[in-house]
Amino acid sequence: MDPILEVSDLHIRYRKVEAVHGASLRVGAGQIVTVIGPNGAGKSTLLNAVMGALPAYGSASGRVSYLGQDMAGIPVEGRVARGMCLVPEKRELFASMSVEDNLVLGAFRRKRAGDKRFLDQMDVVYDLFPRLRERARQEAGTLSGGERQMLALGRALMAKPQLLMLDEPSLGLAPLIVREIFHIIDRLRETGVATLLIEQNARAALQVADYGYVIETGEVVMAGPAAALAGDPKVIETYLGLARRAA
Ligand code: ATP
């Protein structure tokens, strides 16, 4: 089957510094693919380049192919219109608007495109996140960290993306909440969306993913089925740590 996303030999530079050195990866239809690695390895940079959202002084070479089409020269807006969606680390919600209004905004492009059923995803989102339904009228700025992450995910799903890219969804969340978020990411498979998940929490990411890549200082150093990576001695040593060995 053709992949949804195929990245080949991607080099990314910020002015004189090359942050990513020839990364290649694939995301198949309905798959959850994770990229794990330490701070500063180039994970967010990679996602931003796929989205076409590098800062003006950044540049990329190599190929990003999405749904069989080369994305070179296609701006962020065009990629969003084709069904890519990035949930950034900073979540970027509208704090003074209600949960429900934030969700409605997620469907904005579908509404503008004349899709009369632009709100039909609301029930799907509320079924995935019952807590958001309970808090529909609450201001987004008053949500807990975990709820904010749920809202960011829910808002992304309102756009009915084909490729969802998540930048560190577990960042700053307590372990129980992380488990809840990852349970939901797992359930996203049911919606048919393909997910590219960037994570420092390697344990949670490899548990939920089908396939994984390890990136270190801008280079993909390992790749394989997530279960195989989770059992690899080097991954265990470097990313899964003592807790895993003790378990
Ligand atoms: P983290 O988990 O800490 O966000 P990461 O793996 O996502 O790490 P990146 O944020 O992609 O890593 O950073 C990769 C390298 O690129 C780092 O050396 C970083 O300093 C550099 N970098 C990232 N963003 C920029 C930027 N906007 N301008 C200049 N350099 C940048």
Side-chain angles (χ1 to χ4, degrees):
M1 207 178 356
D2 287 339
I4 298 267
L5 178 74
E6 183 152 29
V7 172
S8 323
D9 197 28
L10 194 63
H11 292 255
I12 308 167
R13 303 179 68 85
Y14 293 112
R15 297 202 173 91
K16 289 188 183 138
V17 180
E18 189 171 90
V20 172
H21 324 297
S24 298
L25 61 86
R26 290 157 69 102
V27 182
Q31 270 190 330
I32 300 177
V33 172
T34 189
V35 178
I36 59 172
N39 267 134
K43 303 183 298 299
S44 303
T45 296
L46 186 67
L47 271 200
N48 287 330
V50 169
M51 196 67 210
L54 288 174
Y57 55 88
S59 63
S61 68
R63 189 179 154 93
V64 174
S65 169
Y66 169 69
L67 299 176
Q69 192 187 355
D70 189 344
M71 289 289 108
I74 298 182
V76 181
E77 183 73 12
R79 299 184 198 206
V80 170
R82 286 167 174 79
M84 278 191 191
C85 192
L86 171 63
V87 181
E89 212 176 274
K90 293 195 189 78
R91 289 156 210 178
E92 293 170 4
L93 299 169
F94 295 95
S96 60
M97 289 172 58
S98 70
V99 165
E100 186 138 316
D101 286 345
N102 269 277
L103 290 177
V104 170
L105 273 180
F108 159 74
R109 280 190 181 78
R110 290 176 54 217
K111 181 181 181 204
R112 198 177 54 182
D115 183 348
K116 290 206 174 61
R117 298 169 42 143
F118 68 99
L119 290 179
D120 60 358
Q121 277 284 89
M122 195 80 89
D123 280 334
V124 175
V125 170
Y126 280 150
D127 287 348
L128 277 169
F129 304 97
R131 274 213 239 174
L132 293 184
R133 182 181 269 130
E134 288 161 21
R135 289 164 175 73
R137 315 238 170 279
Q138 193 171 322
E139 271 187 21
T142 64
L143 296 175
S144 72
E147 290 159 359
R148 273 205 287 273
Q149 183 57 266
M150 291 176 196
L151 181 53
L153 274 171
R155 190 178 60 178
L157 290 174
M158 290 296 291
K160 282 200 173 175
Q162 298 205 54
L163 176 65
L164 187 61
M165 295 189 274
L166 307 178
D167 195 350
E168 303 243 8
S170 75
L171 194 78
L173 302 181
L176 261 182
I177 309 294
V178 171
R179 210 185 298 169
E180 207 176 323
I181 295 283
F182 274 80
H183 178 65
I184 291 161
I185 292 172
D186 195 25
R187 284 194 57 203
L188 291 181
R189 282 179 224 274
E190 297 161 21
T191 70
V193 66
T195 305
L196 180 56
L197 168 69
I198 299 300
E199 261 299 340
Q200 269 190 66
N201 186 335
R203 180 186 313 274
L206 290 174
Q207 257 168 24
V208 78
D210 301 296
Y211 202 87
Y213 296 85
V214 180
I215 185 169
E216 287 172 0
T217 53
E219 248 170 282
V220 174
V221 293
M222 288 176 89
L229 283 183
D232 183 279
K234 184 168 176 286
V235 174
I236 293 173
E237 177 75 29
T238 314
Y239 297 104
L240 302 177
L242 290 169
R244 159 89 186 207
R245 269 178 269 160

